[in-house]
Amino acid sequence: MNLGKVVGTVVSTRKEQSLEGLKLQLVKYVDEHGKETGAQVVAVDTVGAGPGEMVLVACGSSARQTTATDKRPCDAVIMAIVDSWNVGDRTVYRKSETDR
Amino acid sequence: MNLGKVVGTVVSTRKEQSLEGLKLQLVKYVDEHGKETGAQVVAVDTVGAGPGEMVLVACGSSARQTTATDKRPCDAVIMAIVDSWNVGDRTVYRKSETDR
Amino acid sequence: MNLGKVVGTVVSTRKEQSLEGLKLQLVKYVDEHGKETGAQVVAVDTVGAGPGEMVLVACGSSARQTTATDKRPCDAVIMAIVDSWNVGDRTVYRKSETDR
Amino acid sequence: MNLGKVVGTVVSTRKEQSLEGLKLQLVKYVDEHGKETGAQVVAVDTVGAGPGEMVLVACGSSARQTTATDKRPCDAVIMAIVDSWNVGDRTVYRKSETDR
Amino acid sequence: MNLGKVVGTVVSTRKEQSLEGLKLQLVKYVDEHGKETGAQVVAVDTVGAGPGEMVLVACGSSARQTTATDKRPCDAVIMAIVDSWNVGDRTVYRKSETDR
């Protein structure tokens, strides 16, 4: 998985029928310090992530191992909202209490 | 999935038989601002995308999760035509009404 | 899939038994203008591509969706020889008549 | 697989239910000299790796070939803790005895 | 597949049980001229490659299409030892007779 930040949403009317009703989030990948790396992905959101939240994205066939994405042409899924992460003894990111 | 722009078409007569009749589009990937990243892919088009349209491309085994591409040696599929996307509160891209 | 140019051949005597008899081509990837990108791949050739020809390469599990590569440890296959491609209204590449 | 160093841990309360109880480690990839390459991954830990340890990470569908990750939306797994590696005749890395 | 050179070996005692007995080789990828690209992979060796040998590595689910790696958390396998390759009419690499 990779760490990323939800920065936007993608809207599509004309698409593979099996994707109807799925929310597509635009995610910018971040490094271990929470800084954007420049890479991005559009991922199906199965956990209700909101704009600005740090998330984990699973790619490839692993993105289809959820009820929402099973057997669908989807290669990226947000499968977790990140509460916090640390590097060594230092907490790099902690979601604000009010956001939880 | 990744955002891309359809820029051309690839024609091939001599190919794996299972790919007969499939349309191959040349897609340049774009970043969250709609700017080309330099990377590209040739994807099977299952949604009827036209030149200049912004699309979503699914790669890997996920590209085979459509009726058209099932069990075929295809690792990239256009599975959605993008209407619009936003970054934060700003709409970065909106397909012109006449194109829809 | 990605566009590439067949530039050479790889010979191997000692290999996984299931790969016996398969032709391994060295392919340099090209961008939408036909210029080499620097990246390369060694792909099983199922369509009889020759040196100098532009081809399409499918990677990952999709490379195993041919009779020749099914259930084999092969992650790249040439599944099409390219006749031509265009970017916008301009034909970037067209295979010479004598080569077809 | 790729060599990496465990540098931290990621905590997530809201996630795909199938991922409950799995430990998510932040791993920085290293080159053959043990130097960080800049790339990273968040991997499920099935072998009990601790901070600072050198590990091997398997990605993609291969990350699901463990009891802990089977059929889960997980695309990276720590499947080995590295004791040592060599480049030619030189031992580049050896885990300290006290750590084993 | 990609061309690579075996440069070392990785030793691991604590690992997924299904990987017991498999040899892990450190492989540096090379370009079409045989020059290292900087990228590397740790691959299970199913063909008995030795240090300094040029090999082909298959990645992803294709790495599991051998008896040794089937259903194991392994995403890279050495499936061939390279005898020689050419670019155009020029032989770039030929394994020395004494090594075969």
Side-chain angles (χ1 to χ4, degrees):
Chain A
M1 283 70 68
N2 271 295
L3 290 167
K5 188 180 186 171
V6 177
V7 300
T9 306
V10 177
V11 178
S12 166
T13 314
R14 198 151 139 203
K15 60 188 165 191
E16 274 290 317
Q17 206 168 359
S18 64
L19 296 172
E20 288 295 332
L22 297 183
K23 187 162 193 180
L24 297 165
Q25 302 274 31
L26 182 56
V27 177
K28 296 286 291 179
Y29 286 119
V30 299
D31 64 16
E32 78 271 28
H33 306 298
K35 194 183 157 190
E36 292 184 12
T37 64
Q40 66 177 11
V41 70
V42 176
V44 167
D45 182 2
T46 68
V47 289
E53 284 193 308
M54 290 290 186
V55 296
L56 285 175
V57 177
C59 290
S61 59
S62 298
R64 300 198 308 273
Q65 311 296 313
T66 77
T67 311
T69 55
D70 186 35
K71 293 180 188 156
R72 287 166 175 80
C74 157
D75 65 4
V77 71
I78 299 175
M79 24 60 80
I81 298 176
V82 174
D83 291 337
S84 66
W85 80 78
N86 69 291
V87 172
D89 294 335
R90 194 167 60 87
T91 301
V92 174
Y93 169 81
R94 186 177 299 278
K95 195 175 163 179
S96 65
E97 290 296 327
T98 51
D99 288 349
R100 284 198 217 181
Chain B
M1 283 70 69
N2 271 295
L3 290 167
K5 188 179 186 174
V6 177
V7 300
T9 306
V10 177
V11 177
S12 167
T13 314
R14 200 153 137 201
K15 60 188 164 192
E16 274 289 316
Q17 206 168 0
S18 63
L19 296 172
E20 287 296 331
L22 296 183
K23 186 162 194 181
L24 297 166
Q25 302 274 30
L26 182 56
V27 177
K28 295 286 291 179
Y29 286 119
V30 299
D31 65 16
E32 78 271 29
H33 307 298
K35 193 182 156 190
E36 293 184 11
T37 64
Q40 67 177 11
V41 71
V42 175
V44 167
D45 182 3
T46 68
V47 289
E53 284 193 308
M54 290 291 187
V55 296
L56 286 175
V57 177
C59 289
S61 58
S62 298
R64 300 198 309 272
Q65 311 296 313
T66 77
T67 311
T69 55
D70 186 34
K71 293 178 188 156
R72 286 167 175 81
C74 157
D75 64 4
V77 71
I78 299 175
M79 24 61 80
I81 299 176
V82 174
D83 291 337
S84 66
W85 80 77
N86 69 289
V87 172
D89 293 336
R90 194 168 59 88
T91 300
V92 173
Y93 169 81
R94 186 177 297 278
K95 195 174 163 179
S96 65
E97 289 296 327
T98 52
D99 287 350
R100 284 199 218 182
Chain C
M1 283 70 69
N2 271 295
L3 290 166
K5 188 179 185 173
V6 177
V7 300
T9 306
V10 178
V11 177
S12 167
T13 314
R14 200 152 137 202
K15 60 188 165 191
E16 274 289 317
Q17 205 168 2
S18 63
L19 295 173
E20 287 295 332
L22 297 183
K23 186 162 195 182
L24 297 166
Q25 302 274 30
L26 182 57
V27 177
K28 296 287 291 178
Y29 286 119
V30 299
D31 66 15
E32 78 270 30
H33 306 297
K35 194 183 156 189
E36 292 184 13
T37 64
Q40 68 177 12
V41 70
V42 176
V44 167
D45 182 2
T46 68
V47 290
E53 285 193 307
M54 290 291 187
V55 296
L56 285 175
V57 177
C59 290
S61 59
S62 298
R64 300 198 309 272
Q65 311 297 313
T66 77
T67 311
T69 55
D70 187 34
K71 292 177 189 158
R72 286 166 174 81
C74 157
D75 65 3
V77 71
I78 299 176
M79 23 61 80
I81 298 176
V82 174
D83 291 336
S84 66
W85 79 79
N86 68 290
V87 172
D89 294 335
R90 193 167 60 88
T91 300
V92 174
Y93 170 80
R94 185 177 299 277
K95 195 175 163 179
S96 65
E97 289 297 327
T98 51
D99 287 351
R100 286 198 216 182
Chain D
M1 283 70 68
N2 270 295
L3 291 167
K5 188 180 186 172
V6 177
V7 299
T9 307
V10 178
V11 177
S12 166
T13 314
R14 199 152 138 203
K15 60 188 165 192
E16 275 288 318
Q17 206 168 0
S18 63
L19 296 172
E20 287 296 332
L22 297 183
K23 187 162 195 182
L24 297 165
Q25 302 274 31
L26 182 56
V27 177
K28 296 286 291 178
Y29 287 119
V30 300
D31 65 16
E32 78 271 29
H33 307 297
K35 194 183 155 189
E36 292 184 12
T37 64
Q40 67 177 12
V41 71
V42 176
V44 167
D45 182 3
T46 68
V47 289
E53 285 194 307
M54 290 291 187
V55 296
L56 285 175
V57 177
C59 289
S61 59
S62 298
R64 300 198 309 273
Q65 311 296 314
T66 77
T67 311
T69 56
D70 186 34
K71 292 180 188 154
R72 286 167 174 80
C74 158
D75 64 3
V77 71
I78 298 175
M79 23 61 79
I81 298 175
V82 173
D83 291 337
S84 66
W85 80 78
N86 69 291
V87 173
D89 294 335
R90 195 167 60 87
T91 301
V92 174
Y93 170 81
R94 185 178 299 278
K95 195 175 163 179
S96 66
E97 290 297 327
T98 52
D99 288 351
R100 284 199 217 181
Chain E
M1 284 69 69
N2 270 295
L3 291 167
K5 189 180 185 171
V6 178
V7 299
T9 306
V10 178
V11 177
S12 167
T13 313
R14 200 153 136 202
K15 60 189 164 191
E16 275 290 317
Q17 204 168 2
S18 63
L19 296 172
E20 287 296 331
L22 297 183
K23 187 162 194 181
L24 298 165
Q25 302 274 30
L26 182 55
V27 177
K28 296 287 291 178
Y29 286 119
V30 299
D31 65 16
E32 78 270 29
H33 306 298
K35 194 183 157 189
E36 291 184 13
T37 65
Q40 67 178 11
V41 71
V42 176
V44 166
D45 182 3
T46 69
V47 290
E53 284 194 307
M54 290 290 186
V55 296
L56 285 175
V57 177
C59 289
S61 59
S62 298
R64 300 198 309 272
Q65 311 296 314
T66 77
T67 311
T69 55
D70 187 34
K71 293 179 188 156
R72 286 167 175 80
C74 157
D75 64 4
V77 71
I78 298 175
M79 24 60 80
I81 298 175
V82 174
D83 291 336
S84 66
W85 79 79
N86 69 291
V87 172
D89 293 335
R90 194 168 60 88
T91 300
V92 173
Y93 170 80
R94 185 178 298 277
K95 194 175 165 180
S96 65
E97 289 297 326
T98 52
D99 288 351
R100 285 198 217 181

